Amino acid sequence: MALSYSARSRAIEPFHVMSLLARANELQAAGHDVIHLEIGEPDFTTAAPIVAAGQAALAAGHTRYTAARGLPQLRAAIAEFYLSRYGLCIDPERVLITPGGSGALLLASSLLVDPGKHWLLADPGYPCNRHFLRLVEGAAKLVPVGPEERYQLSAESVAAHYDNQSVGALVASPANPTGTVLSREALSRLSQALKARDGHLVVDEIYHGLTYGMDAPSVLEVDDDAFVLNSFSKYFGMTGWRLGWLVAPSDAVPELEKLAQNLYISAPSMAQHAALACFAPETLEILEARRAEFGRRRDFLLPALRSLGFGIEVEPEGAFYLYANISGFGGAAADFCRHFLETEHVAFTPGIDFGLHRAPHHVRFAYTQGLARLEEAVERIARGLRSWQP
């Protein structure tokens, strides 16, 4: 019997990197030494104070549902973090705790996008963003951006691409896969362009804290009406705990709370109690040391790849990715990545995971391995380039 599945499900593309990861794991299980530069997950385990707080929460029996908006003490801690890190006074009532940053995106897209309407998104960009919009029967209008635009939307691109089906824009700063950051001025101009068109500004700040030589400004410094998505996964290193947050305008909170109650009831209670330890001075000291280590990795891998002929035209200021043009080598990115995985056992991601614009000519490297492993990866890549035949 042939089963029929929804059109929305069929329209959502798989993560191409997951099939590459599966093959990398097969090679690893067969005894090969695979260097993983494909997955956007910090290689550090969760910091010890956070783990200890999670263990204490379990021991204390904190295993029940919380309020849909999350633990009041965690929302207050996040508000205090905005004060200490950005000098912003955020009412804790505006903060909703979510199951990962994905939960925050689900709330924002459910609230703001009606069927047939769309947000503007940069192409290349994180693929799940457009897929969440499809899930709520909306759409993403992908705006091609390149190194000339630092791979980011701008007030000018809003003016050029906004139409009567547009309801806002979603930008990421720092961005995945490019690592570029929007300045305070760029965020302000984006906000003004959208407000002039009665559009919403949604900003993915999931990689905040992972910037090098500078701090990324929060959009809330220039637009108190913006929606901010954030996560405990990247800077705080809690990927598997599945915890994030959303900062929203006060008048949107009742509607968002209603959605949260229906969509997921609450974020994981043990993870919320563990996350209270994220903001302790001893934890932040560990996280800042890890940020510095990511910076050293970027400073090694960026010139090393450029010296091999990879085109990295914009120096990333944040996250832990390098988005590289492979046009100089010829061939398609998917074949290029497959060659290095099969011959040199180095895994990195083809650009087709991140959109359409020049995607077959780009790859993404995640510098989520230690310096010794990155040095070995560069040696293998140099060797693999000699055997590459497009």
Side-chain angles (χ1 to χ4, degrees), residues 150 173-174 179-183 209-217 291 298 316-318:
R150 296 187 55 78
S173 178
T180 59
V181 172
L182 285 161
S183 68
L210 291 175
T211 52
Y212 314 107
M214 52 91 73
D215 289 319
R291 185 224 291 242
R298 182 201 66 160
E317 300 156 312

Side-chain angles (χ1 to χ4, degrees), residues 183-252:
S183 68
R184 187 177 284 102
E185 180 186 358
L187 287 166
S188 178
R189 296 185 69 237
L190 260 176
S191 169
Q192 293 167 17
L194 287 162
K195 284 187 173 181
R197 295 163 174 80
D198 296 323
H200 298 284
L201 177 55
V202 184
V203 182
D204 170 348
E205 297 186 354
I206 284 171
Y207 290 94
H208 267 226
L210 291 175
T211 52
Y212 314 107
M214 52 91 73
D215 289 319
S218 173
V219 68
L220 296 173
E221 297 174 36
V222 298
D223 184 355
D224 200 49
D225 295 321
F227 291 76
V228 173
L229 318 174
N230 212 319
S231 171
F232 287 94
S233 290
K234 308 301 183 180
Y235 175 67
F236 295 103
M238 296 181 67
T239 51
W241 299 75
R242 305 313 304 131
L243 201 65
W245 75 83
L246 172 66
V247 182
S250 296
D251 61 1

